[in-house]
Amino acid sequence: MSLKNKVALITGSGSGLGKSIALQYARQGARVVIADLSSEAVTHTVEEIRALGGEAFGVTMDVSNETDVETGVKCAADYFGTIDILISNAGIQIVRPVEAFTLAEWKKMLAVHLDGAFLTTRACLKYMYAQKRGCIIYMGSAHAKTASKLKAPYVTAKHGLLGLCRVVAKEGALRGVRANMICPGYVRTPLVDKQIPQQAAALGVSEGEVIHMMLSETVDGEFTSENDIANVALFLGSLETNALTGQSLLVSHGWVME
Ligand code: NAD
């Protein structure tokens, strides 16, 4: 099991989970494509990986924009020669009760999570099918398996992503492509740090109570770490067998069990 010289395109890798995965992949010898909406974050992450002796190339893209994705994936594949692994990870969060969501917010959430996963999958499959080898990892969530208040579009999108993952696993199997999903519990990334005060305000409780609610159903009251998610992504990316495809792996300190 090795990632040596594999080309891995990771969306949302300018921050949080995507960045931790990119660093871990680069340490394991992968050539990583940093794809993010923020050009500053792209530059910073590429420089960080190169400074550590890794190979990285940056593309700025909005994963929900068809032209951005087609152009960015082609640019990355031209640079490194192909795409072996896609980690569809870019995501956002908006918290409100269902009745307070605007249609624009709902559509934006579904566009980033679902259109983004579809567009990057389609663009990368072209290279994977041509070489009859590839791996796609979707960043799901425990919210692909359960629900929480205030997160209607997020929970809807993460459940939907599981459907896409399973279809890609079925269609890709005989063409050398496998697809799996990681379902993290709460990880203290900028996405969650921003959400804690917003949720506290929406529910009229303290930030401490929000954190307590987030962790109350875990087996040990602990947040999941970026490092744990990066290691699971390493395992899924390097295990080249159809024995493990179409699966969704909960990494949530036992918050959700199945
Ligand atoms: P984060 O906010 O730290 O990072 C998200 C990154 O995605 C940012 O760099 C942002 O610029 C980028 N991004 C946002 N919209 C984009 C777009 N349209 N196109 C391209 N890039 C875009 O968040 P994170 O916590 O690292 O989240 C990463 C993924 O993990 C998300 O899909 C999220 O739903 C999922 N997730 C996170 C947690 C958690 O607790 N942090 C738990 C479960 C799942």
Side-chain angles (χ1 to χ4, degrees):
M1 293 205 315
S2 166
L3 287 182
K4 190 110 193 86
N5 293 328
K6 290 278 163 61
V7 178
L9 187 147
I10 306 160
T11 68
S13 46
S15 169
L17 297 179
K19 183 171 178 178
S20 286
I21 294 169
L23 285 161
Q24 174 65 298
Y25 268 43
R27 279 193 291 270
Q28 301 302 322
R31 296 177 288 168
V32 296
V33 182
I34 305 302
D36 202 285
L37 187 59
S38 157
S39 56
E40 240 174 79
V42 168
T43 306
H44 190 74
T45 308
V46 167
E47 280 170 2
E48 199 173 324
I49 290 172
R50 288 182 180 161
L52 294 168
E55 276 193 80
F57 178 72
V59 284
T60 301
M61 66 163 77
D62 174 351
V63 293
S64 64
N65 180 297
E66 187 171 21
T67 309
D68 274 17
V69 172
E70 288 294 323
T71 311
V73 170
K74 181 175 183 315
C75 197
D78 286 349
Y79 184 83
F80 278 133
T82 191
I83 307 287
D84 298 302
I85 299 171
L86 163 67
I87 303 185
S88 169
N89 164 80
I92 54 170
Q93 180 63 285
I94 303 175
V95 287
R96 321 194 182 300
V98 173
E99 70 277 14
F101 269 101
T102 65
L103 182 59
E105 288 169 335
W106 171 267
K107 284 186 172 171
K108 181 167 187 195
M109 287 292 292
L110 298 196
V112 173
H113 289 275
L114 291 178
D115 297 0
F118 160 68
L119 289 171
T120 50
T121 296
R122 191 182 64 180
C124 291
L125 274 179
K126 195 167 97 188
Y127 299 94
M128 295 176 181
Y129 282 163
Q131 65 183 10
K132 296 192 167 48
R133 193 186 65 245
C135 166
I136 300 182
I137 300 172
Y138 296 100
M139 192 55 70
S141 165
H143 283 114
K145 315 279 181 142
T146 188
S148 294
K149 288 177 184 171
L150 309 179
K151 296 183 180 169
Y154 186 84
V155 170
T156 303
K158 293 299 188 186
H159 276 68
L161 209 46
L162 183 52
L164 175 65
C165 171
R166 288 171 169 163
V167 173
V168 173
K170 290 207 171 195
E171 291 183 358
L174 299 181
R175 302 170 82 180
V177 173
R178 58 200 193 285
N180 290 293
M181 187 159 115
I182 303 175
C183 296
Y186 286 103
V187 187
R188 290 297 300 250
T189 63
L191 180 134
V192 164
D193 283 343
K194 208 171 92 188
Q195 186 187 134
I196 292 170
Q198 290 171 347
Q199 243 177 288
L203 294 171
V205 299
S206 71
E207 292 187 21
E209 281 169 284
V210 171
I211 292 173
H212 176 75
M213 282 189 272
M214 285 174 162
L215 303 178
S216 63
E217 289 178 56
T218 62
V219 292
D220 52 10
E222 299 273 341
F223 278 99
T224 301
S225 72
E226 288 189 12
N227 203 33
D228 286 335
I229 300 302
N231 284 330
V232 172
L234 173 61
F235 167 68
L236 289 175
S238 50
L239 189 73
E240 292 191 51
T241 164
N242 274 347
L244 190 63
T245 194
Q247 302 306 308
S248 49
L249 194 53
L250 279 154
V251 189
S252 66
H253 282 248
W255 164 23
V256 182
M257 295 190 187
E258 60 179 17

